Amino acid sequence: MKIGRSSGILLHVTSLPGRYGIGDLGEESRWFVDCLAEAKQKLWCVLPLGPTGPENSPYQCRSAFAGNPLLISPQELLRHGYLSRKDLQSPPVFSPSRVQFPEVGRYKESLLEKAFRQFSENRDYEAFERKNRSWLERFALFLTLREANGGVPWNRFDAAIRPKPERVRYHKFVQYEFFRQWHALRKHCQLRNISIMGDMPFYVEHDSADVWSHPELFDLDKRGEPRTVGGVPPDYFSSDGQLWGTPAYRWDRMEEAGYQWWVQRFRAVLQLVDFMRLDHFRGFEAFWSVKANQSTARKGHWKKGPGAQLFETIRRKLGDLPFIAENLGIITPEVEELRHQFGLFGMAVLQFAFDDNGIHRPNNYVPKLVTFTGTHDNDTTRGWWNALLRTARGHSRSAEHAKVNRVKCYLQNDGRDIHWSFIQAILTSVAEIAVMPLQDVLGLGSEARMNLPGRAKGNWRWRFERKQITPALLQRLGELTEVSGR
C-alpha cells in the first residue's frame, strides 16, 4: 500500500448534510471532498457501503457486493433525466442532525420507483450487468422474493411464490444507479487528489443474498438457521462481549472451493476504494464461535480461521494487498504474525493510549500504522473526556483520576480543546496515516457518537450541517496538517 505520510477524516456518507434526510453521493459529497482538499487532507475514510438491514448497521448488510440505495442522490437522478424538478419540489421535513431511517427509506423508495419508470437500458447498463453478473442477478432475485414473501428471512420463503421479472429489473437498476453515482464521486476525489479508505466487515448478515445464494459456505442447520454465530468475548466495549448474530463460516468448504467467494468479494470492494480496512482482522486467524441459542457472547470459544492460506490466494489472484488490519481488542502473537507476513498496516486508537503503555501511545508508534483519535465505535474525544472527568470527580485515588492525570501530563493540556490536542498528537506522530472522525475536528460531545457497541438500536444516525464546517476550521486543520508533514 503506497500512499505516503498523510491524514484524513472519517465520515460515513450517511452523516453528510442535505435536504433529503440522509447523506448521499451527490452535491454534498463533492462539497465535502472539496473541504478535505482545502484542509490539506488526502483521505476520506468511509464505513461499508452495502444495503443495510433492520438496525441500519453498515456492518450487517443484505449483500457483500451491492450498494446501499439510501445513498443514491435524488439530485443526481434529476440531473440524469430520471426525475423532474417537480418530483423534488417538496421533500418531507427531515431532521438535520439525525437520520430518520424509516421515513428516509419510504421517501427514497418512492423516488427510485419514479426514476425506474423513466429508465431504459443502454450500453452502460449492459456493461454494468455483464461486469457484475456473478452477484447482481442473484441479489435482485433475492430482494424480489423477499418482497413477495412479506420481508421474512430467506429460509422461510414460500417455494410456490414466483419472482416478478419487472421487480428483478428494478433492483438491478437501483444497483446500476448506485455504482454510476459512486464512480462519478470517486472521479471527483481523484481530481482533488483524495484517496478513499473503505471498510469491509468480516461477517455477512444471515438474511442476505450471500447466505441465501451459498448456504453451503455458512454454518447452518437443516432449516437454514445459524448453528453458530460470530462475535467477540467481553472487552473494552461490553462486559458481555458482542454477539453479532451473523452465521459463522464453513472455512473447510470455502477452502475446497478455492476461496472463490472471498476472491470475488475482495475484488468487488477494491473496485470501489483505493485501500480498505479489514474489520475484525483477528477473525481470519481465529474467530470467537458462539452457539446460536446463547443470549450473550460470554460462552464461546476460539476456532481457527483460514490464516495465511486465504491471503496467499487473494494475493495470487488480485496482486498487491492494500489492506489495513483492524488489530484492536484481544490480539495474539499469531494474529500479528499473520499481519506482518503480508505487510499489512496495523491500527492504533489514541483514546486507548492511557489505559496502558502499548502501541496506542504515540511514543510507541511505528511508521507502518494507521492512527485514529477514535473510531466509529468510540465515543467522540470530547465525549470520552467529559465522561472520564465525571467518573473521576471526587475520587482522587481512583483509576479514573489517575488516568485524567496521565492524559494531562502526556498531552501537556489542562483539558481545554482536548480534541485538538488529540489531533495534534496523531498528526505529529511517526504513523504514516492519521485519521480523525469529523466529530473530533468539530469538537462535538457524546451527542454526536456514531455507534455504541452492544446497543442494538439507535446507532448510525448522526448527521452534521454545512455551517459547522467553517473556513477558519479548515484553515486550522490545514496548517496543522502541513506543519506535521502530511
Side-chain angles (χ1 to χ4, degrees):
M1 189 172 75
K2 299 173 183 177
I3 186 170
R5 187 169 171 82
S6 55
S7 62
I9 290 181
L10 169 62
L11 178 78
H12 195 38
V13 180
T14 57
S15 296
L16 285 162
R19 301 171 59 208
Y20 305 107
I22 191 170
D24 61 41
L25 304 179
E27 176 187 341
E28 301 293 344
S29 284
R30 291 191 291 274
W31 163 78
F32 181 67
V33 170
D34 293 344
C35 289
L36 289 173
E38 188 177 341
K40 297 180 169 54
Q41 302 307 297
K42 296 178 183 175
L43 306 173
W44 182 6
C45 307
V46 298
L47 303 184
L49 298 165
T52 54
E55 298 307 328
N56 314 301
S57 170
Y59 294 90
Q60 293 181 304
C61 293
R62 301 287 185 207
S63 168
F65 299 87
N68 188 347
L70 294 182
L71 303 184
I72 292 175
S73 164
Q75 286 288 346
E76 292 301 302
L77 293 174
L78 170 64
R79 185 179 303 180
H80 213 64
Y82 294 136
L83 296 178
S84 69
R85 293 191 180 280
K86 185 179 178 182
D87 292 326
L88 301 183
Q89 262 180 358
S90 303
V93 178
F94 293 113
S95 167
S97 60
R98 289 286 182 272
V99 180
Q100 299 162 282
F101 281 102
E103 294 86 349
V104 168
R106 287 191 291 271
Y107 176 64
K108 285 282 184 89
E109 177 80 11
S110 69
L111 293 180
L112 289 168
E113 296 277 4
K114 287 181 181 178
F116 176 60
R117 290 195 285 271
Q118 300 302 316
F119 168 70
S120 57
E121 296 176 11
N122 53 34
R123 287 185 180 180
D124 284 345
Y125 174 79
E126 290 167 359
F128 168 77
E129 199 174 27
R130 284 195 303 273
K131 183 179 180 181
N132 297 283
R133 186 174 290 125
S134 63
W135 64 268
L136 181 62
E137 187 73 31
R138 293 291 289 174
F139 173 70
L141 186 60
F142 166 76
L143 287 190
T144 301
L145 288 171
R146 200 171 180 282
E147 289 172 348
N149 281 273
V152 300
W154 62 266
N155 57 327
R156 289 190 247 154
F157 285 177
D158 184 343
I161 295 177
R162 311 312 302 166
K164 296 179 180 178
E166 194 67 0
R167 292 304 295 172
V168 174
R169 186 168 169 265
Y170 164 75
H171 290 297
K172 288 162 74 172
F173 157 74
V174 169
Q175 289 305 304
Y176 165 69
E177 185 58 22
F178 171 89
F179 285 98
R180 188 187 69 78
Q181 291 191 13
W182 176 261
H183 287 300
L185 175 59
R186 192 173 180 198
K187 186 175 293 185
H188 186 80
C189 290
Q190 291 165 348
L191 290 173
R192 299 295 187 272
N193 294 314
I194 301 294
S195 297
I196 298 177
M197 182 196 295
D199 198 342
M200 193 176 83
F202 181 73
Y203 289 110
V204 296
E205 180 70 10
H206 172 254
D207 191 15
S208 68
D210 306 284
V211 182
W212 174 69
S213 296
H214 303 286
E216 74 282 359
L217 300 180
F218 299 87
D219 191 18
L220 309 175
D221 63 22
K222 292 180 180 179
R223 299 169 299 143
E225 296 289 346
R227 293 195 311 157
T228 57
V229 296
V232 289
D235 62 6
Y236 168 88
F237 291 111
S238 175
S239 59
D240 284 328
Q242 297 177 48
L243 189 65
W244 297 326
T246 44
Y249 294 114
R250 287 291 305 269
W251 288 112
D252 54 339
R253 292 177 178 174
M254 288 182 159
E255 180 185 356
E256 289 170 7
Y259 298 111
Q260 185 60 26
W261 182 81
W262 280 98
V263 171
Q264 291 175 348
R265 187 181 183 192
F266 276 107
R267 180 184 288 120
V269 177
L270 288 174
Q271 288 170 351
L272 299 181
V273 301
D274 297 290
F275 51 99
M276 66 178 167
R277 170 185 177 272
L278 300 182
D279 187 49
H280 195 55
F281 174 76
R282 69 108 55 245
F284 291 108
E285 196 282 321
F287 59 96
W288 188 248
S289 176
V290 185
K291 289 185 178 180
N293 62 2
Q294 294 295 310
S295 59
T296 76
R298 283 181 172 274
K299 294 182 179 178
H301 64 281
W302 294 106
K303 293 184 69 173
K304 277 294 180 183
Q309 190 176 44
L310 171 64
F311 289 99
E312 285 168 353
T313 302
I314 299 301
R315 186 163 60 184
R316 188 171 64 251
K317 297 281 188 179
L318 303 182
D320 290 341
L321 304 180
F323 304 148
I324 295 157
E326 185 269 288
N327 58 337
L328 307 176
I330 303 170
I331 301 301
T332 63
E334 291 81 5
V335 176
E336 287 296 88
E337 183 181 334
L338 178 64
R339 181 173 72 83
H340 289 303
Q341 181 178 345
F342 292 93
L344 307 187
F345 277 58
M347 282 179 56
V349 178
L350 191 55
Q351 284 187 26
F352 297 155
F354 306 101
D355 295 310
D356 57 37
N357 59 356
I359 65 163
H360 298 285
R361 197 168 291 185
N363 56 286
N364 292 319
Y365 286 178
V366 296
K368 203 160 192 174
L369 189 71
V370 183
T371 175
F372 294 73
T373 53
T375 73
H376 63 276
D377 282 334
N378 292 91
D379 200 347
T380 68
T381 293
R382 180 165 289 284
W384 168 86
W385 178 244
N386 289 341
L388 182 60
L389 290 178
R390 283 194 301 271
T391 307
R393 192 172 293 129
H395 299 85
S396 60
R397 296 188 179 182
S398 68
E400 290 79 10
H401 192 272
K403 187 172 175 180
V404 167
N405 288 336
R406 280 198 299 274
V407 175
K408 289 180 176 180
C409 180
Y410 191 88
L411 299 175
Q412 288 296 290
N413 180 297
D414 63 2
R416 286 177 292 184
D417 281 348
I418 189 73
H419 53 293
W420 278 111
S421 291
F422 265 56
I423 291 169
Q424 180 183 10
I426 67 167
L427 286 180
T428 57
S429 74
V430 299
E432 190 166 316
I433 300 173
V435 177
M436 307 142 285
L438 182 64
Q439 294 97 314
D440 285 353
V441 177
L442 297 176
L444 301 178
S446 298
E447 75 284 352
R449 184 169 186 165
M450 193 64 167
N451 180 49
L452 184 63
R455 183 179 71 182
K457 298 180 183 296
N459 294 313
W460 317 109
R461 298 176 63 203
W462 176 74
R463 297 178 73 202
F464 73 101
E465 298 182 68
R466 256 202 197 215
K467 63 185 179 183
Q468 292 176 263
I469 295 184
T470 64
L473 185 74
L474 296 177
Q475 182 179 354
R476 181 174 184 177
L477 180 58
E479 289 174 349
L480 180 55
T481 301
E482 189 170 44
V483 79
S484 302
R486 294 187 184 274

